[in-house]
Amino acid sequence: MTIGTVSYMSPETGQGQESDHRGDLFSLGVVFYEMLTGRLPFKSANIPATLYAIVNEQPPKLQEINRNITAALQPIMDKNLAKKPDDRYQSAEALKNDIAQFRQPTVPAQSVMLESGLIQPLVKSLAVMYLKNIGSPDDEYLS
C-alpha cells in the first residue's frame, strides 16, 4: 500500500519502488513549482492519470504559467523534478547551493554603483491593511 498525497509523490514512489531522500527532494520541487506558478506540475483528472503524468510527462515550463518568473530558475526546477533519482539533486545542500547561487546579483557592478552613489537602492516598504469580515463568522480568520 502506498501512503501519501499522490500529487506530491516522486516517480519511484508512484511506481511502488524504493524511495530515498531524493524522492523527498522531488516532492519539495513540486511544492516549489506550486508556490511559483499557483498550480501543481502534474495535475490530472484522477489518481491513475496523475501518477502516469508524474512518471512519464514533463510539467509545463515555469514561464509558460507565470511570465514573471525568470528563465534562470528553470534549470533548478528541471533538476529538482527529474524523473530519475540519479538526475536529481543528490542532497538538500546541493539544492540550497544552487538556489543561493541563483539569488546572487547577476550584475557585479551593481554593488560598486551603490557604494559610489551612482544608483540608489530601492526603498522597501510594507503596507498593512485591515480587512473586515463581511461573510460568515466562521471565516473571521481570513480577515
Side-chain angles (χ1 to χ4, degrees):
M1 175 165 73
T2 302
I3 297 175
T5 305
V6 173
S7 297
Y8 299 89
M9 285 184 181
S10 65
E12 59 274 18
T13 302
Q15 293 177 303
Q17 299 172 356
E18 191 74 25
S19 183
D20 58 20
H21 64 281
R22 296 170 298 178
D24 294 334
L25 292 172
F26 180 93
S27 299
L28 181 61
V30 173
V31 173
F32 286 164
Y33 188 99
E34 189 175 17
M35 289 171 57
L36 291 167
T37 65
R39 61 173 274 194
L40 291 165
F42 309 102
K43 184 71 174 158
S44 297
N46 53 51
I47 291 173
T50 299
L51 285 172
Y52 179 86
I54 290 169
V55 173
N56 298 295
E57 297 175 1
Q58 294 300 320
K61 299 292 183 191
L62 296 170
Q63 285 191 312
E64 291 176 23
I65 299 175
N66 183 344
R67 292 183 189 161
N68 295 321
I69 297 173
T70 176
L73 192 55
Q74 191 63 52
I76 295 172
M77 186 60 61
D78 290 343
K79 188 169 183 174
N80 220 50
L81 294 178
K83 301 298 180 189
K84 297 177 184 175
D86 289 342
D87 294 340
R88 284 185 218 135
Y89 286 100
Q90 299 302 297
S91 69
E93 177 92 18
L95 172 59
K96 179 192 84 153
N97 291 341
D98 276 5
I99 291 172
Q101 183 68 32
F102 167 77
R103 293 185 65 212
Q104 294 298 317
T106 56
V107 182
Q110 182 178 11
S111 60
V112 173
M113 294 172 74
L114 278 170
E115 290 173 9
S116 67
L118 293 173
I119 61 172
Q120 298 298 314
L122 295 174
V123 176
K124 294 183 180 182
S125 62
L126 171 68
V128 179
M129 297 173 49
Y130 173 75
L131 302 174
K132 184 176 180 182
N133 181 10
I134 58 172
S136 164
D138 294 337
D139 296 333
E140 183 62 34
Y141 68 93
L142 294 172
S143 64

